[in-house]
Amino acid sequence: MKLSTQIFVALITGIIAGFIINLTMATDSVAWLDQNVLTPVGQVFLRLIQFVVVPIVFTSLIIGLTSVKSSAQMARYSAKLVSLYVATAIVALFIGMGMSAILQPGETVSLAGIGSAPEATESPSLINWLVSLVPINPFEALSTANLLQIIFAALLIGIASNLVGDQSKPFVSFIQSLHSIIEKIISIVLRAAPIGIFALIASVIATQGLDLVAQLALYVIGLIAAIFVMIGFYYLALLVFGAKPNHFFRSFSPAFFLAFGTASSNATLPLSMENAEKRYGMPKDLASFSIPFGTALKRDGAAILQGFNALFVAQLFGVDITLSLIVTVFVSALIVSFSTAGVPGAGIIMMTTVLGAAGLPLEGIALVAGVDRLSDGFRTALNVVGNTSNAALLQRWEKRQ
């Protein structure tokens, strides 16, 4: 079977196995099985994928920059991508907040299930965030897997390599050799993807079950519906710009399934790049720059979550939804969507920022945290759809197809 088929089968069987475990085993037995089998297997797979994320981002960007040879062209790529990211993030926020306003999920939930609230985080400062993009130590950025700082460092190294000319050839040859080795490691690691996906999704279903989902059914359904509406928007955008949406979704299906199963945009990056070049036919220099760039910045799933959840909490606590509240949520959620980490559960952490900026009660987070993992996979899949779609749109914009 193709990798995409294997991952899809692993997802379905993992969901079925999770339900069987949840319905037939005692709570203690489920906890033991999850802690000693399912979670360790899933975490090993995630760690293997994360092992190659930093080197593939670093080497891909440098190869992409040194192959372009034109700083003006790379600046054009960046400007076009950022404009696409902002425009589509705004659409995602409108969809998320609109779906929450239409369905009113907060009106159907009791406050009885709310536990202790997390502490609020400081509202994001755009200036501080921009300053934090510049690494003090490039090796620290690599060791801590700070993708934004890694991108900045790779940009400087790639531009400088072009400027020094022939003297950079040994270094570029080393980077190309390292990149080839990392690609081979990726192909080896991906053979374990079906096992890792099965363990991860079975763990979620087995431990969560249906009880909590039933209590927050409208919240979960509304959030997932908003995600599919955004995916539909991308399909139409690809269609309008002649980017072959059917071919696009077939080409990137392995990456989308992997994103759903792992709930990690970072972990999906190597496969997304492979799909872009080998299945979709995206030029290597464009894919090597745009896919890692989008993995660090593009978070449509986070934008939908923050907008949807903020209005949900306002409905839950009977807070008047004023124009001022909507604007505050919109602006803070837009900034947060570009600074949310590409790891499982990051959206919950960032909720405190948006709710705190809007003056909404943080206690609502304790309620939705229990079902976050059930929608996290859908949001991550949307993140990858958004990242790859914007890369495909850039390809059409640049007339590279």
Side-chain angles (χ1 to χ4, degrees):
M1 288 188 291
K2 295 180 180 179
L3 179 63
S4 58
T5 307
Q6 293 179 31
I7 293 176
F8 179 74
V9 171
L11 276 172
I12 299 302
T13 53
I15 291 170
I16 294 171
F19 278 124
I20 292 173
I21 292 169
N22 182 265
L23 295 173
T24 61
M25 297 180 66
T27 303
D28 291 343
S29 299
V30 172
W32 184 92
L33 181 65
D34 180 55
Q35 293 171 8
N36 294 281
V37 180
L38 297 177
T39 294
V41 170
Q43 289 300 314
V44 166
F45 171 67
L46 282 180
R47 292 172 75 92
L48 285 171
I49 289 289
Q50 291 164 349
F51 173 77
V52 297
V53 167
V54 168
I56 200 69
V57 169
F58 187 70
T59 58
S60 295
L61 283 171
I62 292 178
I63 290 172
L65 286 164
T66 52
S67 62
V68 169
K69 298 297 182 184
S70 170
S71 299
Q73 184 176 352
M74 196 53 60
R76 189 173 68 250
Y77 282 0
S78 301
K80 288 182 176 180
L81 279 174
V82 170
S83 65
L84 287 170
Y85 292 167
V86 172
T88 50
I90 289 172
V91 173
L93 273 166
F94 272 119
I95 291 173
M97 297 176 74
M99 189 67 70
S100 186
I102 293 169
L103 296 181
Q104 298 282 311
E107 302 290 342
T108 63
V109 180
S110 170
L111 295 173
I114 294 181
S116 58
E119 293 183 3
T121 58
E122 187 179 350
S123 298
S125 166
L126 180 59
I127 297 298
N128 290 339
W129 180 72
L130 290 172
V131 170
S132 70
L133 301 184
V134 182
I136 297 174
N137 183 340
F139 298 103
E140 180 185 9
L142 292 168
S143 65
T144 57
N146 188 321
L147 287 186
L148 290 172
Q149 292 188 353
I150 290 170
I151 288 173
F152 186 91
L155 286 172
L156 282 180
I157 293 172
I159 292 170
S161 297
N162 283 335
L163 293 175
V164 299
D166 291 343
Q167 290 181 327
S168 67
K169 284 185 177 180
F171 171 74
V172 174
S173 296
F174 167 74
I175 292 295
Q176 290 173 337
S177 176
L178 178 60
H179 183 78
S180 298
I181 293 170
I182 297 301
E183 283 187 324
K184 181 57 65 176
I185 293 174
I186 291 169
S187 67
I188 294 170
V189 170
L190 287 177
R191 294 179 184 178
I195 298 172
I197 293 297
F198 174 89
L200 288 166
I201 202 69
S203 170
V204 172
I205 302 300
T207 55
Q208 297 284 336
L210 292 175
D211 293 338
L212 188 59
V213 179
Q215 297 175 31
L216 289 166
L218 192 58
Y219 174 88
V220 175
I221 291 170
L223 195 51
I224 293 174
I227 289 167
F228 277 101
V229 171
M230 188 64 193
I231 292 174
F233 166 81
Y234 275 121
Y235 184 94
L236 291 176
L238 292 169
L239 183 64
V240 168
F241 287 95
K244 303 176 183 176
N246 292 332
H247 174 57
F248 170 86
F249 281 95
R250 283 196 303 269
S251 299
F252 286 100
S253 58
F256 300 154
F257 289 139
L258 184 65
F260 180 83
T262 61
S264 172
S265 300
N266 292 353
T268 313
L269 171 61
L271 187 56
S272 296
M273 293 183 61
E274 182 181 277
N275 291 167
E277 295 176 28
K278 297 180 180 179
R279 291 167 64 96
Y280 187 67
M282 189 175 294
K284 186 176 180 65
D285 65 305
L286 195 148
S288 296
F289 177 77
S290 59
I291 302 294
F293 192 68
T295 299
L297 284 176
K298 190 59 179 153
R299 297 281 187 276
D300 289 316
I304 284 181
L305 172 68
Q306 301 302 343
F308 185 94
N309 187 72
L311 292 196
F312 166 78
V313 172
Q315 297 159 11
L316 184 66
F317 289 92
V319 177
D320 290 334
I321 301 177
T322 62
L323 179 60
S324 175
L325 175 68
I326 292 173
V327 171
T328 303
V329 169
F330 193 91
V331 173
S332 60
L334 183 63
I335 296 172
V336 162
S337 71
F338 288 107
S339 55
T340 301
V343 296
I348 282 288
I349 298 170
M350 301 305 291
M351 278 182 191
T352 58
T353 298
V354 176
L355 296 184
L360 292 169
L362 301 181
E363 286 79 6
I365 299 175
L367 182 64
V368 300
V371 295
D372 178 71
R373 184 59 183 86
L374 295 177
S375 65
D376 203 2
F378 290 98
R379 300 196 311 268
T380 305
L382 174 59
N383 289 341
V384 178
V385 170
N387 178 17
T388 52
S389 293
N390 280 279
L393 291 173
L394 175 64
Q395 182 180 353
R396 293 296 300 164
W397 197 347
E398 288 285 313
K399 299 179 181 179
R400 298 289 300 277
Q401 189 175 23

